[in-house]
Amino acid sequence: MKISPSILSADFSRLGEELRALEEAGADYVHVDVMDGRFVSNITIGPFIVEAAKRATALPLDVHLMIEEPERYISEFASAGASIITVHAEATRHLHGVLQDIKKAGVRAGVSINPATPVSAIIDILGDVDLVLVMSVNPGFSGQSFIPSSLAKLRQVRAALDACSSNAELEVDGGIKTANIKEAADAGADVFVSGSGIFSSGDYKKTITEMRARVGELAI
Ligand code: DX5
Ligand code: ZN
């Protein structure tokens, strides 16, 4: 399992320190939420901050693009240092093409679906991705509650990945806390994004260690 803390909940006036704290806390990835004010109402960060984050941490940057027509920005985020670029199936007319562009840029390619989007929307491109991100809240803001029907969707995606012998990662994003991480793991997720669940906890290391323990990797 991997933990990918979302820096949307970090203190951006101390981004370098926050990234170092995540490394020390045992994070596997750093989840970077990019929002354009169109695909979602919120506006967050762009390639400039991704590039700054890259200089501040050795952790892989797991870049989640919540932007319309992500194909316009793949080269910028790849050059900025993303290790994974995830695009939304709902945000592009050319999903297969943009996934190939990500891979051509030397970056791992992910696809995400919103809570209202069926798994069938990504079945035909499952063999082309390194990661599937199931949104368990409506994208746009951290601190929302986990949508329970996401568990059934995780199970469906896990079964579909198994059916095509894919070893893509299955990431869950939205409302993940120590209290519900085990349910998401049992439904098939193996990468867990958590924003407010980690950053509002005060002790990042304790929270991440407890998340791993809840999933069953470590005894506390
Ligand atoms: C929501 C973002 C999430 C969010 C997670 O649009 O994609 O990554 O920041 O935050 P929490 O864990 O607080 O729901
Ligand atoms: Zn995200």
Side-chain angles (χ1 to χ4, degrees):
M1 67 171 286
K2 293 194 174 91
I3 304 281
S4 188
S6 163
I7 55 168
L8 195 55
S9 298
D11 176 354
F12 269 75
S13 69
R14 301 186 298 107
L15 184 58
E17 279 170 56
E18 293 276 60
L19 290 167
R20 276 188 293 282
L22 292 178
E23 277 184 29
E24 281 158 25
D28 298 287
Y29 293 158
V30 172
H31 188 80
V32 183
D33 286 306
V34 176
M35 306 186 188
D36 65 351
R38 287 186 66 220
F39 183 69
V40 293
S41 58
N42 203 0
I43 299 178
T44 56
I45 67 179
F48 183 76
I49 301 287
V50 173
E51 192 271 329
K54 179 71 188 167
R55 281 187 280 116
T57 183
L59 291 173
L61 300 179
D62 166 27
V63 175
H64 178 193
L65 297 184
M66 285 160 278
I67 66 176
E68 289 289 349
E69 298 176 5
E71 52 272 25
R72 294 184 299 146
Y73 290 101
I74 299 308
S75 63
E76 277 90 337
F77 284 102
S79 314
S83 292
I84 304 165
I85 297 178
T86 297
V87 297
H88 269 263
E90 306 88 356
T92 176
R93 291 199 178 104
H94 302 289
L95 183 55
H96 179 269
V98 68
L99 294 168
Q100 307 313 313
D101 291 347
I102 296 170
K103 291 198 276 192
K104 270 187 232 146
V107 176
R108 295 173 65 210
V111 67
S112 181
I113 48 175
N114 282 334
T117 303
V119 176
S120 59
I122 56 170
I123 284 288
D124 290 355
I125 52 82
L126 274 188
D128 296 287
V129 297
D130 301 300
L131 179 145
V132 177
L133 190 173
V134 169
M135 284 307 303
S136 44
V137 297
N138 285 294
F141 298 92
S142 57
Q144 305 180 77
S145 299
F146 183 86
I147 298 171
S149 60
S150 313
L151 293 173
K153 189 177 279 181
L154 285 169
R155 278 188 218 100
Q156 258 185 287
V157 176
R158 175 52 69 199
L161 289 172
D162 289 349
C164 66
S165 305
S166 165
N167 53 17
E169 294 184 310
L170 176 51
E171 182 171 48
V172 61
D173 183 6
I176 294 290
K177 320 262 177 202
T178 50
N180 62 6
I181 193 167
K182 174 82 166 91
E183 280 176 285
D186 289 347
D190 53 15
V191 181
F192 304 87
V193 177
S194 180
S196 52
I198 290 173
F199 284 94
S200 66
S201 74
D203 187 338
Y204 306 164
K205 184 168 194 166
K206 184 164 172 255
T207 305
I208 290 174
T209 305
E210 189 175 343
M211 285 176 161
R212 290 196 202 283
R214 294 276 175 116
V215 174
E217 237 184 45
L218 286 178
I220 317 186

